[in-house]
Amino acid sequence: MFDLKLIREQPERVREMLRKRGDDPSRVDSILAVDEVRRTSLAELEGLRAQRNTASKEIGRMKDEAERETRKQQVREINTRIDALDKIVNDADKRLNDLIAVVPNMPDDDVPFGKDDSENVVLRTIGEPRQFDFEPVPHWDLGPALGIIDFERGIKLAGSRFYVLSGAGARLQRAVIQWMLETHIRQGYREYYLPFMVKEQVVFASGQLPKFRDNLYHDVERDAWMVPTAEVPLTSLHADEILDAKKLPLNYVAYTPCFRKENMAAGKDVRGIKRGFQFDKVEMYKFCLPENSEAELETLRENAEEICKLLEIPYRVKILCTGDIGFGARKTYDLELWAPAQKEWLEVSSCSNVGDFQARRANIRFRREAGAKTEFVHTLNGSGLALPRTMIAIMENYQQKDGSIVVPEVLRPYVKMDVIK
C-alpha cells in the first residue's frame, strides 16, 4: 500500500513517479481532495464530540428545568451533526482506501526510465548459445514426438492453454521442482507447503487486488482465490504480526501450482507450454530490515542465477524500466533463458524489492528492541524458477539430432536417466 503521508508531503514527486510509470498523475489530486474532506470533517467531528461531553456534564449540574431542556436540545442537534459527519468520514475512509489501493509503488532512483518492455536494460549475458549441426526443433514438436507432452489431451480435459506431461516429461518436471527446492534450501531458505486457495485479504495484501482482479480465478461461493504465485500466501504468513528484528531476514521458499487467466492475444506468444492458465513455479521470499533490502535483492538475484548457471543454459539479466516494472515493485531484475529453436529469450524469473508496500497492506511490522516503536518490514520475492519456460529451455538446448533430449547433469540423480528418448 502506498504511503499516504508521502502523497500529502510530496505530491509532485508522486505525480512524477506516476508519469514515469505511464500512469495517471491526476490520481494524486483525487486522493488529496478526498483526504482534505476526511481531515476537515474529522476535525469538526472531534470538536463536536468534545462539545457534547462538556454539555452532558453541564446538564447533570443544572437545576433549572428550562435550562436543562434547552441544553438537551442542543445536544440532540450536536448528535445529528455527529451522525452526519460520521457517515462523511466513513465514506471518505473507504474512498481514500480504494484510491490508494491502485497507486503503484515508487521505483528506486536507479531504475531506468522507459515507456515499456522494449526499453528494459540488459545488464549482462552469461554463456554462449549452442551451435547446432542441425535445425533445432521447437518444444511443441519435440515434446509430442517423444511422447512426453500431449496438447490434444490437455485441451480435451481442460480446454485451450492446458497440456498433459507424461512419462519422462512428468518425471523431468518433478525433478526440476525438487532440485530447485533443495538448491534454495542449501542457500538458506526454509521450505513451506502452502494452501493453493486463499482469502481475498491475502490476495490484496500481496498487491494482486484490486488491479489484477480480472486475471485471477475466484471461487465466488467460498470467496476463495486460487493463487497466481506462492508470493501471495507467503506474504501473509506473518500478517498482523510484529517480528523480532534479531531474527530478520526470514528467507522462505515454496513450490505451488499457479493459476492465471493470461488474457493474451492468440498467436506465437501462446504456442506450446510458454503461457498457460496453470503452471508450476518455485518462489523465494524474504522479510528483512528496511536498510538491508537493497543488498537482499542482490542476494535473491544471485540465488536465482545459480539455478540458471547449474543448468548450463545461456541466460541474461535485465533491469526493468519504469514503464514495465511490476505494480508493487521498487526495483526488478528479470532472468531470461535462451530458447534456440524459438530464437528468443524466455523470462523465467523476476526478482523484486517491494519495500514496505506489501507490509503496509498485510500489517507486518518489527520492533528493533523492547519498547521501541514498530516499523514496517521490507519484503522481496523472486521466481526460482518458473517451470514451463525452464522446461522449454532444457528441452530445446539439450536436444539431439536423433530427437532425444540429454538430461542436464545436475538433474540426473532426480530424473534417474541420462537421455530422454
Side-chain angles (χ1 to χ4, degrees):
M1 184 73 79
F2 203 89
D3 186 357
L4 176 57
K5 183 180 178 182
L6 184 60
I7 298 175
R8 287 171 179 163
E9 295 178 354
Q10 302 182 53
E12 189 49 46
R13 181 184 174 199
V14 180
R15 290 189 190 96
E16 181 60 21
M17 176 274 288
L18 291 169
R19 291 187 194 101
K20 286 182 176 179
R21 276 182 167 270
D23 209 326
D24 184 2
S26 70
R27 292 186 189 278
V28 173
D29 304 292
S30 300
I31 290 169
L32 291 176
V34 175
D35 186 45
E36 180 61 27
V37 170
R38 179 188 175 277
R39 296 171 79 180
T40 301
S41 300
L42 190 58
E44 183 182 352
L45 182 61
E46 291 170 349
L48 288 172
R49 284 172 174 162
Q51 288 182 36
R52 181 177 61 185
N53 291 339
T54 299
S56 297
K57 291 176 183 177
E58 290 174 350
I59 289 170
R61 295 194 295 267
M62 287 180 176
K63 301 189 184 303
D64 186 281
E65 190 60 36
E67 286 184 5
R68 283 168 60 88
E69 189 54 42
T70 299
R71 203 65 170 133
K72 285 181 180 179
Q73 179 58 34
Q74 291 173 348
V75 170
R76 284 191 284 269
E77 291 172 0
I78 290 173
N79 282 336
T80 300
R81 180 58 180 161
I82 285 175
D83 290 342
L85 286 169
D86 257 332
K87 185 176 186 312
I88 291 172
V89 170
N90 289 335
D91 289 348
D93 272 335
K94 184 179 184 308
R95 178 63 177 151
L96 200 56
N97 286 334
D98 290 345
L99 289 169
I100 295 175
V102 294
V103 176
N105 203 354
M106 178 81 72
D108 284 346
D109 292 338
D110 61 346
V111 171
F113 173 73
K115 63 181 184 299
D116 55 35
D117 60 359
S118 67
E119 299 190 66
N120 293 335
V121 178
V122 177
L123 299 177
R124 60 186 175 277
T125 301
I126 294 86
E128 293 293 331
R130 173 186 167 190
Q131 298 301 311
F132 291 82
D133 58 2
F134 62 93
E135 187 65 29
V137 179
H139 75 281
W140 55 74
D141 291 330
L142 189 61
L146 285 168
I148 61 175
I149 302 179
D150 193 327
F151 294 107
E152 292 181 1
R153 285 190 171 89
I155 293 171
K156 181 170 70 173
L157 292 174
S160 63
R161 311 270 199 95
F162 288 90
Y163 55 90
V164 172
L165 297 178
S166 65
R171 185 188 296 184
L172 178 62
Q173 172 143 305
R174 174 165 49 84
V176 174
I177 293 169
Q178 184 178 351
W179 168 69
M180 286 180 180
L181 286 171
E182 291 186 3
T183 300
H184 293 315
I185 291 168
R186 174 178 55 77
Q187 292 169 340
Y189 292 80
R190 179 182 177 87
E191 183 182 1
Y192 276 82
Y193 176 79
L194 303 161
F196 301 160
M197 301 183 76
V198 294
K199 300 174 182 178
E200 180 167 323
Q201 172 55 30
V202 173
V203 188
F204 175 83
S206 69
Q208 301 289 323
L209 288 177
K211 183 175 177 62
F212 303 108
R213 182 178 295 272
D214 293 341
N215 207 37
L216 304 175
Y217 287 100
H218 182 203
D219 177 354
V220 178
E221 183 179 352
R222 291 190 62 247
D223 193 24
W225 299 74
M226 302 189 80
V227 299
T229 165
E231 172 194 343
V232 172
L234 285 171
T235 299
S236 287
L237 276 177
H238 295 295
D240 299 316
E241 293 182 19
I242 299 175
L243 305 178
D244 183 350
K246 295 183 180 63
K247 294 183 179 179
L248 297 175
L250 300 176
N251 300 318
Y252 296 161
V253 65
Y255 151 75
T256 63
C258 305
F259 305 92
R260 303 179 191 176
K261 293 181 182 177
E262 293 285 7
N263 296 318
M264 305 289 290
K268 175 185 175 183
D269 198 49
V270 298
R271 192 170 182 185
I273 67 173
K274 178 180 177 182
R275 194 182 291 277
F277 295 141
Q278 172 189 317
F279 63 95
D280 290 330
K281 185 152 70 79
V282 172
E283 185 79 4
M284 297 175 287
Y285 199 91
K286 290 174 174 280
F287 299 86
C288 72
L289 296 171
E291 62 268 25
N292 295 337
S293 65
E294 290 185 26
E296 290 293 345
L297 176 61
E298 301 306 316
T299 300
L300 189 72
R301 174 191 50 72
E302 289 169 2
N303 295 155
E305 279 195 62
E306 184 176 353
I307 298 292
C308 300
K309 289 176 181 175
L310 291 172
L311 286 173
E312 298 184 88
I313 295 173
Y315 72 95
R316 67 183 187 181
V317 182
K318 297 164 72 173
I319 184 170
L320 301 194
C321 69
T322 55
D324 192 41
I325 194 171
F327 173 75
R330 283 176 34 169
K331 182 177 181 178
T332 297
Y333 295 113
D334 270 6
L335 305 185
E336 299 177 330
L337 290 175
W338 176 243
Q342 298 172 62
K343 295 180 173 57
E344 67 172 320
W345 295 96
L346 303 176
E347 177 201 327
V348 292
S349 178
S350 286
C351 297
S352 300
N353 181 2
V354 185
D356 63 6
F357 193 80
Q358 292 175 329
R360 288 179 179 276
R361 288 174 171 243
N363 191 30
I364 309 168
R365 296 165 292 160
F366 72 96
R367 187 174 275 119
R368 294 183 185 272
E369 56 187 26
K373 181 182 178 182
T374 60
E375 304 172 50
F376 289 108
V377 299
H378 279 198
T379 63
L380 304 95
N381 62 80
S383 311
L385 307 168
L387 265 294
R389 296 176 186 182
T390 303
M391 288 281 286
I392 291 171
I394 291 171
M395 292 171 65
E396 293 194 3
N397 280 281
Y398 281 91
Q399 64 179 293
Q400 305 301 301
K401 193 170 186 177
D402 64 0
S404 64
I405 299 171
V406 173
V407 176
E409 188 173 347
V410 290
L411 297 176
R412 292 175 191 173
Y414 301 88
V415 181
K416 308 300 182 186
M417 62 174 65
D418 296 344
V419 182
I420 297 172
K421 298 181 178 180

